[in-house]
Structures are given as structure tokens and as C-alpha cells.
Amino acid sequence: MVLEATLIIMDNSEHMRNGDYSPSRFQAQSDTVSLICGAKTQSNPENTVGVMTMAGKGVRVLSTPTSDLGKILGCMHGLEIGGEINLAAAIQVAQLALKHRQNKKQQQRIVVFCGSPVKHEKKMLEMIGRKLKKNSVALDIVNFGEEDEGKTEKLEALLTAVNNNDSSHMVHVPPGPNALSDVLISTPIFTGDGEGGSGFAAAAAAASAGGVSGYDFGVDPNLDPELALALRVSMEEERARQEAAAKKAAEDASKQEKGGEQQATSQDATMTERTSTEAEPMDDENALLQQALAMSMDDPAVNHDGRDADMSEAATDDPELARALQLSVSDTTTDEVTRLLADQSFVSHVLATLPGVDPNDPSVKDLLASMQNQSNAHKKNEEEGPNEE
């Protein structure tokens, strides 16, 4: 990387109000100067840049060469436009400012933005150029704005006088749709004399080209390794999240397909069994088997039907046996009624639910007592009957 002290001369003459460069000549020039200052300071931490103007009330140094980019950019705000340029005086003042630089190991360079007509004689400019070459000062010229043969010829003569081993350059930028900075971004004014050029200039070129560059995410890891690492980690996390979401969606889809197939299979099997069951005739053996199962489950209807059938058969075969069965059924009913009447709480509850009946009425109590006595007498007779036998 080249260790350099640079002084940029801006054109703030009346011609800078023209709008043939978007948004105006002066604004396009200011944006380009800001990028050049950034490129110079980023290419080497020890590089210094200064800014001065050459029109208006006279040549004015806005900032002596410094590495503080904020100070450099801040001095360009609020500049006045007007008057005519004094190119010869501006170059001589710039040479004097570079001569008093703090680090004498820095190479000296002057960058001139010339967008106005040049009124100096060609011989004077050649003399100034030879003086710059003698003091090892390189010169870069940006020729834009006013176009005439006399201006271009004078600037080329100045460049020829100062050029030493192609250390000085001149760029012609005609008006057009492209911004002034876009045209200069790939020239030696930005990239310098080194083969690699400035990383800041490369990044700016990528940004002006729509963010397309040879680096991932458009960020040079050599300039900002932390940002490049953060962007890479963020991209990896996003890629992992998308892969996990896609995998989960695929698993859910496969589960749904398997569930649908199993449900369809079970439905087909059920329909097949139902069809086969309906197709088979019900024979006598199956009917008897179902009756036996129903009886074992204490089905009241089946038990009642079976009991009536048994009693009918008994009445047909043996009349005495049928009478005995009927008496047993009636005895069972009587015993059940007697047991319910013996339960005082049950009887009281039933009487309380009857409309117009008062359980505390003496007549009701006498009736209940007589029924209780009959029930006890019947029970006593039943207990004495087996003992007499």
C-alpha cells in the first residue's frame, strides 16, 4: 500500500451551478471528493488527505492533510459558489501545504477538479508542472464540465510537464447519464498506482454496480471482518432454519399420507367383513347360540320369553307341576311386596310424594300399622311352617 499525502483542489466557480451532471456539477464533484477521501484513508491508516478551493474570493485551504475522515467531510459543507478559478495559484498553494506535511515519508499528490475554462497561458502551466516534478509531486486531473480545445490542450501540457514514470493521470468525463463518481471509480485516481488498488474503491465500485462483487454479501472481509462474519453466521442460521422447516413439513405430509392409507385399509376391511356377514345365511345353530348368549347376559326379554315357554311346556306335560310353578311365582311377588312394606322409610317417602296425603294423619298411621302387623304375621307363619315339617 502506498503511503501518501493528498491535497484535493475543488472547483467552486460560477460554472458549477450547471445541471449537465446530476444533480449539479458542484454536487457531483462533492460526492466524488468524499469517495476519494474515503478511498485514500482506507487504503493506508497513515495516509492523510486535505481539501481546498480555487474560486470565489480566492484560493482557500479548507483542511490541511489529515487522517480524520470526519473532519475532511465536514469542511466541505456550506461552500460558496461563485467567481473564476485560479488554477496556477491553487496548485502552488497545494504544493506548499504538502511540503509542510508532518510525515516526510509520505508521497505527495495533488488531485485537481477542473470544470471551468482555464485562462492561464500554456507556458505558465508547463513551468508549474516542471516545478512539481522537481519536488516529486504527482498530479491527477479530472477534466469535466466546460469542453473546449484550449482547455484540454493546456491541461495535457501541464500533465506532460509533471508526469514522472506514469505517476500522474488525467481523466476526461463528458456529461451523460452516468454519475461522475461512477466514471472515476475504476480509474487510477481511485485505485492508485498499486496493482491491488484500494479496497474502499473496490467496495464503492461494487455498491455503484448494484452490490455485485466477488465477496459474499458484497462485503470485503479484509475491510470489515466482523460485519462479514456476522452476515455469514446470520445466513447459516437462516439456511438451517429453512432446512428444518422443510424437513418438518415433509414429515408431516408423510404422516398424513400413511394415516390416510391406514384409515382407507381399515374401512375396506370393515366393509368386507360386513358384506361377508350379511351374505352368510343365519342357520339354526347360530340362532340358538345367540339366544344362549342373550340369556347368559340376563336379557329380561329373553328370560321372560324363556320362562313363559318353560311354563307352557310344563302345563302341557304335567298340570300339577305347572300349578306349583305358578304358586312359586306368586309367592315371589308376595315376598317382594312384603319386604317393601316392611321398609318404613320407603313407605314414608312414597306417601310424602302422593298429592293430598299427610303421612302424619292418624288414619294413615293406623293403616300402616295394620299392614305392618299383617306382614309380620305372614313372616311368622312362613318361619313356623318349615319347623313343623
Side-chain angles (χ1 to χ4, degrees):
M1 292 182 292
V2 179
L3 180 60
E4 205 171 54
T6 306
L7 212 153
I8 302 176
I9 303 175
M10 297 181 63
D11 186 348
N12 62 329
S13 66
E14 194 69 29
H15 296 276
M16 293 299 100
R17 300 184 187 276
N18 201 320
D20 51 354
Y21 294 83
S22 179
S24 66
R25 288 185 183 180
F26 186 77
Q27 187 60 47
Q29 178 187 203
S30 299
D31 295 341
T32 306
V33 171
S34 299
L35 290 177
I36 292 177
C37 293
K40 296 292 185 181
T41 55
Q42 290 289 338
S43 63
N44 193 318
E46 297 184 9
N47 281 355
T48 57
V49 182
V51 180
M52 61 181 295
T53 57
M54 59 178 173
K57 296 181 180 180
V59 177
R60 178 185 174 192
V61 178
L62 302 178
S63 174
T64 56
T66 178
S67 58
D68 187 354
L69 184 60
K71 181 179 179 180
I72 299 170
L73 299 180
C75 70
M76 293 189 298
H77 290 287
L79 292 179
E80 297 180 358
I81 299 176
E84 299 290 336
I85 63 172
N86 189 346
L87 181 59
I91 293 176
Q92 292 176 3
V93 172
Q95 178 188 356
L96 184 62
L98 291 174
K99 183 178 180 181
H100 292 86
R101 65 191 184 280
Q102 294 181 355
N103 188 354
K104 300 300 182 181
K105 294 182 179 180
Q106 293 175 326
Q107 297 183 13
Q108 305 173 79
R109 181 176 296 275
I110 299 174
V111 180
V112 179
F113 282 82
C114 186
S116 305
V118 178
K119 303 205 175 165
H120 300 289
E121 296 292 334
K122 181 179 178 181
K123 292 183 179 180
M124 179 183 293
L125 295 178
E126 290 178 347
M127 183 181 64
I128 293 173
R130 287 191 294 268
K131 187 176 181 180
L132 293 177
K133 183 178 181 179
K134 181 180 179 181
N135 292 298
S136 300
V137 180
L139 178 66
D140 291 334
I141 304 174
V142 180
N143 182 19
F144 72 109
E146 301 297 324
E147 296 181 359
D148 59 79
E149 294 182 358
K151 172 187 174 183
T152 303
E153 183 181 355
K154 294 175 182 179
L155 293 178
E156 288 179 352
L158 173 61
L159 180 68
T160 302
V162 74
N163 196 8
N164 183 16
N165 297 326
D166 292 331
S167 61
S168 301
H169 316 89
M170 184 168 68
V171 180
H172 300 277
V173 185
N178 295 327
L180 182 62
S181 57
D182 293 343
V183 178
L184 296 178
I185 202 78
S186 58
T187 63
I189 296 177
F190 267 91
T191 59
D193 295 328
E195 295 180 358
S198 169
F200 182 91
S208 63
V212 179
S213 65
Y215 303 110
D216 294 338
F217 319 111
V219 176
D220 185 1
N222 296 323
L223 294 178
D224 198 341
E226 295 180 357
L227 177 59
L229 179 60
L231 291 174
R232 187 176 293 107
V233 171
S234 178
M235 181 61 70
E236 292 296 333
E237 291 178 353
E238 179 65 18
R239 186 181 293 112
R241 187 189 66 78
Q242 293 179 357
E243 292 177 355
K247 184 177 179 181
K248 183 178 180 181
E251 291 178 355
D252 294 341
S254 62
K255 288 180 181 179
Q256 291 179 359
E257 292 178 359
K258 291 181 180 179
E261 293 177 357
Q262 292 178 357
Q263 184 176 1
T265 305
S266 62
Q267 290 178 355
D268 294 341
T270 303
M271 293 179 65
T272 303
E273 292 178 359
R274 187 177 300 170
T275 303
S276 62
T277 302
E278 293 175 355
E280 293 179 357
M282 184 69 69
D283 53 6
D284 296 339
E285 184 177 357
N286 291 336
L288 293 175
L289 181 58
Q290 288 186 359
Q291 185 178 2
L293 290 173
M295 292 177 66
S296 66
M297 296 174 64
D298 295 334
D299 190 345
V302 176
N303 292 340
H304 180 70
D305 293 341
R307 190 179 302 162
D308 292 344
D310 293 340
M311 291 179 66
S312 298
E313 292 177 358
T316 304
D317 297 340
D318 193 347
E320 294 181 359
L321 179 60
R323 183 180 179 184
L325 289 172
Q326 187 174 4
L327 289 173
S328 66
V329 173
S330 62
D331 292 342
T332 303
T333 305
T334 303
D335 293 341
E336 186 69 20
V337 173
T338 303
R339 186 178 62 81
L340 291 174
L341 291 174
D343 190 353
Q344 294 293 331
S345 61
F346 175 75
V347 173
S348 300
H349 177 70
V350 172
L351 292 175
T353 57
L354 294 176
V357 178
D358 186 7
N360 298 323
D361 192 351
S363 60
V364 175
K365 291 183 177 181
D366 293 342
L367 179 60
L368 291 176
S370 63
M371 291 177 67
Q372 182 66 25
N373 294 332
Q374 291 178 5
S375 153
N376 293 334
H378 180 71
K379 185 176 181 181
K380 183 176 181 181
N381 292 333
E382 287 182 352
E383 292 177 354
E384 291 177 355
N387 293 332
E388 291 176 357
E389 294 178 358

